[in-house]
Amino acid sequence: MSAVLGPSGPCFSANPDVSGIGVRTAIYAQNLLSFVPALLALKDGKVTPTELDALETQSTTILITAFAILVSTIVQACTSSTSNTVNGISNYHASIVLDLSWMNNTNLFIYLLLYAYRRVNISDDELVEEGKGSLKPDAPRLARCIYEAKKAVVNHVIIIGTLHLSLMASVGIWLWSNPGHFGKYPPSECTLSASVVVIGKAVLLGSAGLRAWSILVYSILLIPFLNLLLPIALFAVPLFFFKHSKGLQLCRIMIGLGMLAVIDAVLLVDTEVGIKKNIDHGLLGKDEGAWTFGQTLALLLLLVPLRDLSEALWERRAKSMGQTLVEASETGETAVVKYLLERGAQKDNIGMAFGNQ
């Protein structure tokens, strides 16, 4: 995280553990891969508790990693430089961390979409059983809304997600309150000469307009749980109005997922274009692209979401084979039953099929 100072050099010391290709690739990949289990869960028009649990595990993993990145940024920003080395983190690299944090947030919203879809379509019997006597079958809409709100508030993915938004907002306000002097990184005449790309447009870090807009946006996101009101209003609340039309619900969910995918793509392109532009202008240290322990570790941690994805695919396959096995058992297709059992289908499904007759 530190670089040796010379008599002259680029504006920003290299920090490949923040903006290195390995770190960026890991974050891009894990967030884009998070769309796959969500789409698989929606393929049959319903989200089962097992599928939601898989999404919960995936979201928790990504959000905890995102949390760690922000905490590391704060620690670096509070680290003083010495006479021979530059410690801390520059305003430019902090802006990259914030860009990557925005991308990590889309994973939370993917989970929120499917969580809301599951809750809207839960049966009355399941709801009463889940409520353990606190919610009656004929409970009024207001009572159910209060119950759902209480349940959401204690959901650990939502808790981690809203705290991550707040921590990101805190770092954002810290950076943009005085972008020329972030933390204990030594300022220079060129610290505001770097540019960031916002929706395809390059803007200097010293831009007064960008500073004012950033402070406004991050201030809105500062308070936990309140920072989720807007996305919930946009994505989750409309599902309750389409409760009796699954087609419209699915359409709304797919539109939401599409919007999140576009946001991820824009953030990815903006980050990559911004990094290339600043490298081309000679503002970054020559070791910016060096492979470090942090980059290698980031790529290795990518194995965790890949494992979650493989588990989701396996569960999807097992579910499909189980349904086919039940249907074949009910119709007496012994050849199909034998084939499915050889392929690993669970025998318990046969008993369930005959037990329901």
Side-chain angles (χ1 to χ4, degrees), residues 97-174:
V97 170
L98 290 173
D99 284 345
L100 298 176
S101 295
W102 278 105
M103 180 174 273
N104 286 326
N105 286 327
T106 61
N107 180 76
L108 166 65
F109 301 141
I110 291 172
Y111 174 79
L112 280 176
L113 277 172
L114 271 73
Y115 175 83
Y117 182 75
R118 163 68 184 166
R119 299 308 304 174
V120 168
N121 291 290
I122 191 171
S123 67
D124 291 338
D125 291 339
E126 286 181 284
L127 192 61
V128 172
E129 177 65 23
E130 181 185 88
K132 297 179 180 178
S134 62
L135 197 66
K136 298 180 180 179
D138 57 347
R141 182 182 293 265
L142 179 60
R144 174 165 178 174
C145 289
I146 294 174
Y147 173 79
E148 293 292 353
K150 290 180 178 179
K151 187 173 181 65
V153 166
V154 297
N155 183 294
H156 68 267
V157 175
I158 295 176
I159 292 173
I160 297 172
T162 188
L163 291 177
H164 175 262
L165 276 171
S166 296
L167 186 61
M168 181 190 75
S170 300
V171 174
I173 292 172
W174 183 12

Side-chain angles (χ1 to χ4, degrees), residues 33 318 338:
L33 285 172
K338 182 179 178 181

Side-chain angles (χ1 to χ4, degrees), residues 162 165 221 223-237:
T162 188
L165 276 171
L221 298 175
I223 303 176
F225 292 104
L226 291 181
N227 51 24
L228 291 178
L229 289 182
L230 181 58
I232 288 175
L234 286 175
F235 298 122
V237 172

Side-chain angles (χ1 to χ4, degrees), residues 156-208:
H156 68 267
V157 175
I158 295 176
I159 292 173
I160 297 172
T162 188
L163 291 177
H164 175 262
L165 276 171
S166 296
L167 186 61
M168 181 190 75
S170 300
V171 174
I173 292 172
W174 183 12
L175 169 64
W176 292 107
S177 294
N178 186 5
H181 191 184
F182 178 64
K184 294 188 177 181
Y185 190 86
S188 67
E189 296 178 355
C190 62
T191 49
L192 295 177
S193 60
S195 59
V196 294
V197 178
V198 182
I199 317 179
K201 183 179 180 181
V203 185
L204 292 177
L205 284 173
S207 167

